[in-house]
Amino acid sequence: MFPNFHYTTELHINADAEAVYAAIADFNSYSQWNPWLIQASGVCAEGELVDVTVRLGRRVMSVQHKVLETVPGRVLRWCDLGWFTKAAYGERCRTIEPQATGGVRYRNELPVTGPLAWLAHLFTGRALQQGMQAENEALKRFVESGGSTPEA
């Protein structure tokens, strides 16, 4: 059995589930707000392919993803389709849970499995965790500001 690694970040967003989902499902707007997935293009529908440019620390790389599950207002799940997926497979799931007190709990999970998951963890684990956290915080700012980015 190979060791697996599981990266998780979560936070509270003062917005409704539909607004949060609309932001993460609009791949073409990622360049406006997302510091980790700095560019994306594609359609948010199960089975669709999405081209993503990701910032991992100081490196920038392009990777294709496949949308696996969409539940509007609740779940967006996709997987990497890069050359490395046979050795270290990642499947990211973002969940949105409305809270009785208002807003949502937003959870971003990325399990990495496979015979070289340990190597991916060694070389990119910290950048993955930091990227996910930066994305969460940027999403929170973006959605709570009504879907606009601050002027530079």
Side-chain angles (χ1 to χ4, degrees):
M1 190 75 174
F2 304 111
N4 299 320
F5 296 89
H6 195 103
Y7 307 96
T8 303
T9 59
E10 66 180 45
L11 52 64
H12 183 269
I13 300 176
N14 292 313
D16 64 32
E18 291 72 23
V20 175
Y21 186 84
I24 64 172
D26 182 4
F27 302 138
N28 297 315
S29 75
Y30 279 22
S31 62
Q32 295 175 29
W33 64 267
N34 197 324
W36 184 38
L37 304 181
I38 57 176
Q39 188 172 2
S41 61
V43 176
C44 185
E46 291 177 18
E48 291 292 322
L49 300 180
V50 181
D51 293 314
V52 175
T53 302
V54 62
R55 176 170 288 136
L56 285 172
R58 288 183 234 149
R59 293 187 342 226
V60 173
M61 63 187 284
S62 295
V63 180
Q64 196 167 60
H65 290 70
K66 182 177 183 179
V67 178
L68 301 174
E69 180 181 13
T70 60
V71 180
R74 297 286 185 177
V75 176
L76 174 56
R77 188 169 56 90
W78 69 14
C79 67
D80 295 331
L81 294 177
W83 59 268
F84 50 83
T85 57
K86 292 203 185 304
Y89 173 78
E91 189 173 294
R92 190 149 72 107
C93 185
R94 302 179 211 167
T95 56
I96 303 162
E97 180 183 333
Q99 302 294 290
T101 56
V104 300
R105 183 180 114 194
Y106 179 75
R107 186 173 178 90
N108 196 342
E109 296 181 81
L110 175 60
V112 178
T113 61
L116 296 181
W118 66 272
L119 193 59
H121 174 72
L122 180 66
F123 285 103
T124 64
R126 185 173 185 180
L128 289 171
Q129 188 72 37
Q130 289 173 341
M132 289 170 62
Q133 187 64 40
E135 178 185 84
N136 282 13
E137 292 167 4
L139 174 64
K140 177 180 174 70
R141 286 189 302 274
F142 182 72
V143 174
E144 288 180 355
S145 71
S148 60
T149 54
E151 296 300 319

